[in-house]
Amino acid sequence: MTNKSNIILVDDNEFFRQSLKLFIDLEGIGEVVAEANNGQMFLDLLETFNPDLVILDLEMPVMNGFEASKKANEIKPGLKILILAMTFAKYNYTSLIENGIKGFVLKSSGKQDLEKAIHSVLAGESYFSSNRFEEYN
């Protein structure tokens, strides 16, 4: 049996974080070792934790996920970050990739899409959900 992946969840919505944590646990995806409700708190956690994966929201108070991902990759180059956000409107793939982000999934995506994204990013691959185009139709 393989070791579970250590995951940090970063989202300002506590209910969403708890739901995501339950999903990760029930599906046997990994272990949530820490949580943060903004980008600065997440960066502080990187002093203590060395996660296999970070699941990060974009829109948060104090420091948004876009800025936090950039700073996190300066602290820990190669950090595996998966964005899980409500919208994609302000960003494009190029800017996310330049910030070291390995994947992107909309919160409105199904659990299969999220699970595929998590496994892909943990395996060292990139995963950018095609569901983002639905918001423009």
Side-chain angles (χ1 to χ4, degrees):
M1 184 172 188
T2 59
N3 291 336
K4 286 190 173 185
S5 299
N6 292 325
I7 300 170
I8 293 179
L9 301 181
V10 188
D11 195 295
D12 58 323
N13 184 312
E14 184 177 356
F15 179 78
F16 184 78
R17 278 196 328 269
Q18 294 304 315
S19 300
L20 187 55
K21 183 176 181 178
L22 183 61
F23 168 75
I24 289 167
D25 185 49
L26 290 175
E27 296 297 323
I29 294 168
E31 181 179 355
V32 176
V33 295
E35 298 177 40
N37 62 17
N38 65 64
Q40 185 57 58
M41 184 184 286
F42 159 57
L43 294 177
D44 294 342
L45 288 173
L46 287 181
E47 295 175 16
T48 306
F49 296 94
N50 190 24
D52 299 305
L53 176 68
V54 177
I55 300 177
L56 181 66
D57 188 16
L58 283 176
E59 298 299 322
M60 297 179 291
V62 183
M63 181 187 297
N64 69 40
F66 190 75
E67 185 65 27
S69 65
K70 183 178 180 180
K71 292 183 178 194
N73 270 295
E74 291 169 3
I75 296 167
K76 291 188 184 277
L79 186 62
K80 294 175 181 170
I81 298 175
L82 172 64
I83 296 294
L84 184 57
M86 290 294 292
T87 182
F88 192 79
K90 291 185 189 176
Y91 307 96
N92 61 53
Y93 286 142
T94 303
S95 63
L96 294 174
I97 292 166
E98 286 172 353
N99 268 17
I101 292 166
K102 306 296 185 210
F104 182 95
V105 177
L106 286 173
K107 288 181 178 179
S108 60
S109 295
K111 76 175 202 170
Q112 288 86 4
D113 198 29
L114 175 58
E115 197 165 356
K116 184 175 180 182
I118 291 171
H119 288 300
S120 295
V121 173
L122 280 169
E125 302 167 9
S126 294
Y127 186 91
F128 289 88
S129 175
S130 59
N131 288 349
R132 82 169 194 87
F133 297 108
E134 293 174 6
E135 68 187 76
Y136 299 108
N137 294 338

